Amino acid sequence: NAGVMQNPRHLVRRRGQEARLRCSPVKGHSHVYWYRQLPEEGLKFMVYLQKENIIDESGMPKERFSAEFPKEGPSILRIQQVVRGDSAAYFCASSPGANNEKLFFGSGTQLSVL
Amino acid sequence: AQSVTQLDSQVPVFEEAPVELRCNYSSSVSVYLFWYVQYPNQGLQLLLKYLSGSTLVKGINGFEAEFNKSQTSFHLRKPSVHISDTAEYFCAVDNAGNMLTFGGGTRLMVKP
């Protein structure tokens, strides 16, 4: 009975490299959300996806960031040409439907940019 | 736009004492309200939620919260805390959009 699985748990990148964060939702959940937590702050919404579709990306930076949730496989949050300001904890959450009442969070990926 | 304010960034308290973590929100529409707990190096766990009905909501681990529409508050309470309650607590609102809006968090530090 696995919950939301995120990997890697910790990711270290040098400035200019790419970061790929993976999220496997709860089995049967077709809705995935990505949130970012900067140090000493609360979580900020980034993007909401359903299978093969981006529903809401209003919280995602316009450049360097992209997300996908393919028909098969995990959801991927991709950050190109990382900068130090991208250092944060990235959390994925999934739900069975289009609401936040039954949201399950993963343990997060801590991205550190050197 | 909606916002969530958690007035206290840190709350130190002795074990077995009562605690209240404050949360105020602003929204022009009806909202759903949530409290999450984050233990060190872990993801968020749902403590409790208010969707409708009784304004006093009971959650896990002995926590409860009261929705006060006139004061736009949703304070979290526990009558007697344990060392194991030491964690970060986040209040969040959902106005039936696609996202939760989180407060900045309150670090509860329970001392022996």
Side-chain angles (χ1 to χ4, degrees):
Chain A
N1 185 19
V4 178
M5 304 300 291
Q6 289 188 249
N7 66 81
R9 192 78 175 83
H10 301 276
L11 182 61
V12 179
R13 285 287 179 266
R14 296 190 182 280
R15 281 180 296 170
Q17 291 184 318
E18 179 180 285
R20 278 180 177 252
L21 288 63
R22 294 176 188 78
C23 168
S24 296
V26 173
K27 189 176 181 180
H29 286 191
S30 57
H31 299 251
V32 165
Y33 305 77
W34 285 94
Y35 285 81
R36 176 165 65 173
Q37 184 180 28
L38 294 169
E40 307 299 322
E41 294 187 17
L43 280 73
K44 298 285 195 297
F45 168 80
M46 298 183 73
V47 62
Y48 162 40
L49 311 104
Q50 292 181 34
K51 285 285 187 182
E52 301 184 274
N53 289 304
I54 296 174
I55 306 302
D56 182 347
E57 56 182 347
S58 58
M60 196 117 88
K62 294 289 184 283
E63 296 178 352
R64 301 187 298 107
F65 285 72
S66 62
E68 62 177 12
F69 187 18
K71 187 176 181 181
E72 300 292 336
S75 175
I76 305 289
L77 179 66
R78 183 183 177 204
I79 311 172
Q80 295 177 291
Q81 299 172 352
V82 295
V83 300
R84 288 218 172 106
D86 296 333
S87 295
Y90 292 82
F91 289 95
C92 172
S94 74
S95 69
N99 61 68
N100 290 305
E101 300 170 31
K102 297 181 181 178
L103 206 58
F104 291 81
F105 280 85
S107 297
T109 292
Q110 181 65 51
L111 173 65
S112 299
V113 180
L114 305 179
Chain B
Q2 55 190 359
S3 66
V4 179
T5 302
Q6 292 183 243
L7 296 164
D8 306 299
S9 59
Q10 294 186 51
V11 174
V13 64
F14 285 105
E15 194 173 18
E16 298 183 7
V19 71
E20 178 180 83
L21 306 183
R22 295 179 292 172
C23 173
N24 287 86
Y25 67 93
S26 66
S27 177
S28 57
V29 298
S30 297
V31 296
Y32 300 148
L33 295 153
F34 303 81
W35 274 99
Y36 284 89
V37 60
Q38 184 181 31
Y39 297 103
N41 300 313
Q42 295 186 28
L44 276 70
Q45 298 177 29
L46 181 66
L47 269 180
L48 49 77
K49 58 187 174 185
Y50 171 79
L51 305 179
S52 65
S54 172
T55 57
L56 183 63
V57 181
K58 293 194 182 295
I60 62 171
N61 301 341
F63 284 93
E64 64 180 31
E66 185 155 20
F67 169 56
N68 188 319
K69 188 174 181 180
S70 63
Q71 296 187 7
T72 60
S73 69
F74 191 53
H75 300 332
L76 181 71
R77 302 186 184 100
K78 186 169 182 177
S80 175
V81 294
H82 301 289
I83 295 287
S84 59
D85 292 323
T86 294
E88 189 93 19
Y89 291 80
F90 292 97
C91 180
V93 301
D94 170 15
N95 69 344
N98 293 323
M99 69 192 79
L100 291 177
T101 299
F102 285 86
T106 297
R107 185 162 298 170
L108 177 63
M109 299 176 293
V110 181
K111 301 180 286 187

